[in-house]
Amino acid sequence: MTTAAVETRIETRICQAENVSVAFEQGRFVIKDICLSIESGEVVAIIGPSGCGKSTLLRCLIGMMTPTQGRVFSHGKPLTGMHPGAALVFQNFALYPWLNVRENIAVALDGLDVSDEAGMRRVGRTIDLIGLEGFEEAYPKELSGGMKQRVGFARALAREPELLCMDEPFSALDTLTAESLRSEVYRVVTSKATSIKSVLMITRNIDEAVFLADRVVVMGANPGRIHQIVRVTLPHPRHYRAGEFRRVVQKLHDAIVAVQLPEEPVTQPAVDESAPPVPQPLPQVGIAEVFGLMEILRDMGESAEILKLDQTTDYEFGHTLMVVKAGEMLDFLDSPRTWVVLTEMGNRFLDADVNGRKALLREQLQKLPTIRYVLNLLKEASDNRLSRDIVIDEIAVRLPTQDAEATFDTLVAWARYGELFGYASESQTLYLDQPSTDQAGAEQSVPPAAESTPESTDAPQR
């Protein structure tokens, strides 16, 4: 490739991340060593599990966030401040409730060298383009979710950007509204009626990514990295039920499964009580979700392809995988290749009565290193109690790539189900449960009794 060709290619790169990393508190990396460029004339979708840094990467690319390491470029030149040619559509509409539709769109003109007259013409053209005629004087509270998001798109387009960025723009909408708006947005951004050259979108919907994108970037978490980039060469218009479309969707499903549920079995080693436990990340899902998925799987014959299993839930695909992963950690589920299987332990759990399930869950939870680690901390603590902040600090140190607060919330929810330890939310205190026996002989959990003196706090006392 000649020097002129290389320079031309660099110029067509609207934005580019070069070895970009972002670290938050305690040096925890959210994304690590990301290299990605957005070329002129393409639609790029980024997909991946919650917490993998998709939105963080987008914000770095357009200058809303400065990376801890690495560099960001705009048309081959280092980016300083906001990308001048980028506009962002938010997931939650982000409209000003005290402004009407026309005024909300006009906000986009702030900071631009545009006269009032030219600005109003630009707003008027955008209203016509997005189909907001008749709603100019309406306020956000008068609009449906779909109309609110139209205003969000119109506001972004009013800046006449070359790069339109969308952060899960359809996820807050119902299915039919999302589908209608998705098709209309694609028609608008690919027409010659706008200044848009490229689109960068964050999504958790694989069908949406294949429907819109020319390239799909698959990210993994802990920390966020690019694992695979899949090119979508299907001609437009694309049809969801077409065989080639479904094959690309399946390819992306397989790529995400490989990232989130690797082939190595997630079996828990035999617990060595003498060895100090080393905390491990916990999937941020509810235990009840695992039980529900197990019931569904039993109804499907105790095994099912992950894609078919996902279609029976109301979850987005990445969340389904996290529920499966939690089930694997408890030895209730297994996931050979692209299947999910109910294990012998899982069947035992479903066959048991309430007390039997509680006992089995308690037994399995105590095999998890993170649970054991916190139990040990509580056993060693004065009065077997610890403040929330102390435990979160411990998690942050031991699991620097995880969201410590989210991990704490998951930990508490799981431990409560297994009656391993309790949490007093008002005093933000963890405490060891005291097992007792009811009249039927079943073990129950009783929190420590509170002090009866007026000076006592909300924290449980022993």
Side-chain angles (χ1 to χ4, degrees):
M1 186 179 293
T2 66
T3 302
V6 171
E7 290 176 351
T8 300
R9 184 177 179 185
I10 290 175
E11 284 299 312
T12 65
R13 291 176 177 171
I14 295 177
C15 56
Q16 178 183 4
E18 183 181 279
N19 300 118
V20 163
S21 301
V22 173
F24 289 161
E25 68 279 357
Q26 289 90 28
R28 178 174 65 90
F29 279 97
V30 180
I31 58 175
K32 181 77 171 174
D33 295 328
I34 298 286
C35 294
L36 179 68
S37 62
I38 310 301
E39 308 284 345
S40 180
E42 68 173 351
V43 177
V44 177
I46 303 177
I47 62 176
S50 298
C52 71
K54 302 185 293 293
S55 296
T56 299
L57 173 57
L58 182 151
R59 282 159 172 72
C60 286
L61 283 168
I62 63 175
M64 290 182 68
M65 181 180 291
T66 302
T68 308
Q69 299 171 3
R71 298 185 296 173
V72 178
F73 299 89
S74 170
H75 294 286
K77 298 178 181 178
L79 179 64
T80 56
M82 284 291 297
H83 193 298
L88 177 60
V89 178
F90 296 93
Q91 175 183 2
N92 60 351
F93 317 131
L95 304 182
Y96 296 103
W98 58 88
L99 301 180
N100 63 30
V101 166
R102 180 183 284 109
E103 292 166 338
N104 262 291
I105 296 173
V107 168
L109 306 179
D110 292 349
L112 299 182
D113 186 16
V114 179
S115 67
D116 291 344
E117 183 180 354
M120 286 303 99
R121 287 200 302 269
R122 187 185 291 191
V123 170
R125 286 197 305 270
T126 306
I127 287 174
D128 179 65
L129 186 66
I130 296 297
L132 287 168
E133 304 95 328
F135 292 88
E136 294 91 337
E137 305 303 322
Y139 287 85
K141 67 180 181 180
E142 303 175 65
L143 303 177
S144 66
M147 294 304 290
K148 288 178 183 177
Q149 195 59 295
R150 284 177 184 270
V151 179
F153 277 108
R155 184 172 56 192
L157 293 178
R159 291 190 65 85
E160 296 189 352
E162 61 175 340
L163 175 64
L164 177 66
C165 298
M166 304 186 290
D167 193 349
E168 300 193 39
F170 310 109
S171 61
L173 307 177
D174 65 84
T175 302
L176 295 180
T177 301
E179 182 54 37
S180 173
L181 189 56
R182 189 181 295 122
S183 298
E184 193 164 341
V185 166
Y186 184 81
R187 175 186 60 78
V188 170
V189 301
T190 56
S191 71
K192 295 183 179 180
T194 72
S195 59
I196 295 170
K197 296 179 181 178
S198 299
V199 175
L200 173 61
M201 64 178 296
I202 305 297
T203 181
R204 290 179 289 176
N205 185 320
I206 297 178
D207 281 38
E208 179 176 285
V210 177
F211 181 79
L212 293 172
D214 303 304
R215 285 193 295 153
V216 181
V217 179
V218 180
M219 289 185 64
N222 306 321
R225 300 178 189 270
I226 294 176
H227 282 261
Q228 189 174 349
I229 297 179
V230 176
R231 291 195 173 274
V232 185
T233 58
L234 303 177
H236 289 281
R238 295 172 181 172
H239 303 285
Y240 289 103
R241 295 187 179 182
E244 194 58 36
F245 187 99
R246 300 318 306 171
R247 280 189 282 275
V248 177
V249 169
Q250 183 64 59
K251 182 177 181 179
L252 283 169
H253 272 95
D254 293 346
I256 295 173
V257 170
V259 170
Q260 295 191 243
L261 297 174
E263 279 298 303
E264 292 79 4
V266 187
T267 55
Q268 300 301 323
V271 177
D272 181 1
E273 296 294 344
S274 63
V278 178
Q280 296 178 356
L282 296 176
Q284 293 172 22
V285 302
I287 285 290
E289 292 178 299
V290 178
F291 302 160
L293 196 73
M294 292 165 62
E295 296 282 5
I296 291 173
L297 194 59
R298 172 172 275 189
D299 290 342
M300 298 176 72
E302 300 184 8
S303 65
E305 288 185 310
I306 290 178
L307 181 54
K308 290 183 178 179
L309 181 62
D310 176 64
Q311 292 169 348
T312 67
T313 73
D314 293 327
Y315 307 140
E316 57 94 13
F317 186 61
H319 190 77
T320 298
L321 292 183
M322 287 295 95
V323 176
V324 172
K325 191 168 187 177
E328 282 191 303
M329 293 176 69
L330 295 168
D331 199 23
F332 293 156
L333 299 173
D334 192 12
S335 60
R337 296 185 179 275
T338 59
W339 285 74
V340 182
V341 178
L342 196 62
T343 64
E344 179 183 355
M345 182 78 71
N347 274 305
R348 281 177 52 200
F349 178 88
L350 293 179
D351 290 337
D353 60 15
V354 173
N355 290 325
R357 288 187 175 193
K358 182 76 72 173
L360 189 56
L361 176 62
R362 183 183 178 94
E363 177 184 333
Q364 294 304 104
L365 284 173
Q366 290 182 91
K367 296 178 182 179
L368 302 183
T370 308
I371 296 281
R372 291 174 53 220
Y373 183 80
V374 174
L375 282 172
N376 285 354
L377 290 178
L378 286 168
K379 291 174 183 176
E380 296 170 358
S382 174
D383 295 331
N384 302 128
R385 295 181 298 159
L386 286 172
S387 74
R388 175 180 183 273
D389 290 343
I390 289 176
V391 178
I392 286 178
D393 286 346
E394 287 285 340
I395 292 171
V397 170
R398 304 293 176 177
L399 297 171
T401 65
Q402 301 296 298
D403 183 329
E405 292 190 3
T407 299
F408 176 86
D409 292 340
T410 301
L411 180 77
V412 169
W414 288 21
R416 279 173 165 171
Y417 256 99
E419 299 183 22
L420 291 169
F421 49 80
Y423 178 62
S425 57
E426 291 187 3
S427 60
Q428 298 190 336
T429 306
L430 278 176
Y431 59 86
L432 278 182
D433 279 343
Q434 294 177 334
S436 68
T437 303
D438 63 11
Q439 292 180 352
E443 186 179 88
Q444 293 184 323
S445 177
V446 179
E451 295 283 354
S452 58
T453 59
E455 293 81 6
S456 67
T457 66
D458 291 325
Q461 306 290 321
R462 292 180 64 89

